[in-house]
Amino acid sequence: ANEWLRYGAAIYLERVDEGEIRDNVARQGMNGLLLTRSSRLRIWNNDFSYLSGLGIGLYRSTHNTIMHNRVDWCVRGYSHGFYNRGQDSAALLMFEQSSANVVAYNSMTHGGDGLFLWAGQQTMDSGTGGSNDNTFYMNDFSFAPTNGMEATFSRNRFIANRSEGSTHGLWGGYSWGSEIVGNRFAGNRVGIAIEHGQDNRIAGNRFDGDSTAIRLWWNRLEPSEWGYPKVRDTRSRGYRIEGNAFVGNRVAVRSDSTLEVLLSGNSLDGVATAHLHDGDTATALPQQPRTREQGLNIHR
């Protein structure tokens, strides 16, 4: 219903099919570029920085290519050392059935979130659809006060991105069938945090100094107003965690009430606790982790 127009944007496109948006600069406003029901756009070499809302926002927009943009410091509600909520500001918002987009080679640092992706109310009510099959490749989502990347209720690919210095490097609640491969997480409170996720692959990533590198869990109680858990299996299950490098973490992998976790070929260096399993957790360890400083395996 054009609600985004209440706050304005430097560029607002509705139902635009094919086109090119390049070499634009928008700073010190509310929003940079907003797309509604638009597709097959090439968005590159723009500067949408120092905004208080969204750098780039997509609503029901698909098959777009977003590359080589600078979208830094899109944040509000933050005071260093005192108050660190981003208040849902973000460098990039992908909202409500925004699928099959390619996001690559962008600088999206210091946003409330670097990436904020959500499936939308249709998915929450019906359990179908999602903001699916997007590819995020070689972006820098670092130094968000909340999440470097947040992607929920959807299936996506995160490849060779950087996410440093945030509360969560990647928050992936209810993510399913996603690939998280070759990324660098550093200095986050939690590198990757996924609740109620299923059949996700976490491979070839480096976790450098994150307090907990990977945390997986399931809550038995879910919001009663959600239609999603009424029609979907929302157990935490089916993880392949392989070939990752864990460096200087307090805990490498913590899994609570998570089934079918396969750990294979990971390396540990200066890690206090390798695997911490709690609740009804079923974990397969086909080989012992390679270590320079042996971590402890703890089952509670």
Side-chain angles (χ1 to χ4, degrees):
N2 288 323
E3 293 177 355
W4 274 354
L5 288 178
R6 290 183 299 170
Y7 301 105
I11 303 171
Y12 185 92
L13 301 179
E14 182 180 5
R15 299 183 186 275
V16 176
D17 188 12
E18 297 189 355
E20 185 174 13
I21 303 163
R22 64 179 174 88
D23 300 322
N24 300 286
V25 178
R27 290 188 166 195
Q28 295 184 326
M30 181 71 172
N31 302 306
L33 168 65
L34 299 181
L35 310 179
T36 297
R37 302 180 188 275
S38 297
S39 63
R40 289 183 286 277
L41 298 171
R42 296 180 302 280
I43 301 162
W44 62 292
N45 279 8
N46 301 285
D47 185 342
F48 302 126
S49 299
Y50 298 99
L51 302 168
S52 60
L54 304 172
I56 300 174
L58 280 64
Y59 175 83
R60 290 186 177 268
S61 294
T62 63
H63 298 93
N64 299 289
T65 301
I66 302 171
M67 298 177 65
H68 297 292
N69 300 285
R70 181 171 293 280
V71 193
D72 299 322
W73 295 96
C74 295
V75 63
R76 62 170 172 253
Y78 177 78
S79 179
H80 188 68
F82 296 93
Y83 181 74
N84 67 346
R85 292 292 302 276
Q87 300 297 98
D88 284 341
S89 57
L92 174 61
L93 172 68
M94 302 177 72
F95 179 62
E96 185 82 40
Q97 317 299 318
S98 289
S99 298
N101 299 286
V102 175
V103 180
Y105 304 110
N106 300 284
S107 177
M108 295 182 167
T109 68
H110 300 87
D113 283 339
L115 164 68
F116 183 6
L117 178 148
W118 186 52
Q121 197 59 48
Q122 175 183 325
T123 296
M124 298 303 297
D125 293 339
S126 68
T128 61
S131 290
N132 298 324
D133 301 321
N134 298 289
T135 298
F136 303 94
Y137 180 71
M138 290 197 75
N139 303 285
D140 190 346
F141 293 117
S142 296
F143 305 114
T146 42
N147 304 315
M149 298 176 278
E150 178 175 342
T152 56
F153 299 92
S154 303
R155 175 189 64 224
N156 294 285
R157 293 179 294 272
F158 307 89
I159 302 171
N161 301 286
R162 179 184 178 190
S163 189
E164 178 179 351
S166 301
T167 303
H168 302 98
L170 169 62
W171 177 278
Y174 291 81
S175 290
W176 51 276
S178 292
E179 296 276 332
I180 306 167
V181 178
N183 303 280
R184 182 173 186 263
F185 299 94
N188 303 290
R189 185 166 65 82
V190 180
I192 296 174
I194 304 178
E195 57 173 341
H196 298 267
Q198 298 178 331
D199 301 319
N200 298 307
R201 179 171 177 250
I202 302 172
N205 303 283
R206 180 181 175 90
F207 300 89
D208 195 344
D210 307 285
S211 182
T212 297
I214 299 173
R215 186 182 175 207
L216 315 171
W217 74 102
W218 174 60
N219 293 320
R220 293 184 179 276
L221 297 178
E222 299 174 73
S224 59
E225 66 272 19
W226 289 2
Y228 191 95
K230 295 181 174 69
V231 297
R232 297 282 293 260
D233 178 4
T234 59
R235 292 174 298 170
S236 180
R237 62 171 176 79
Y239 281 90
R240 293 168 57 192
I241 301 173
E242 51 195 10
N244 300 284
F246 299 101
V247 180
N249 313 114
R250 291 179 59 190
V251 179
V253 179
R254 176 177 177 178
S255 50
D256 302 336
S257 300
T258 299
L259 305 173
E260 303 163 11
V261 179
L262 174 66
L263 300 168
S264 175
N266 302 294
S267 66
L268 305 175
D269 183 0
V271 174
T273 300
H275 313 123
L276 178 59
H277 311 307
D278 199 0
D280 184 15
T281 295
T283 304
L285 295 170
Q287 65 181 77
Q288 289 299 314
R290 301 188 306 275
T291 67
R292 289 177 58 187
E293 180 177 331
Q294 181 64 51
L296 303 175
N297 292 293
I298 298 178
H299 300 260
R300 294 193 305 188

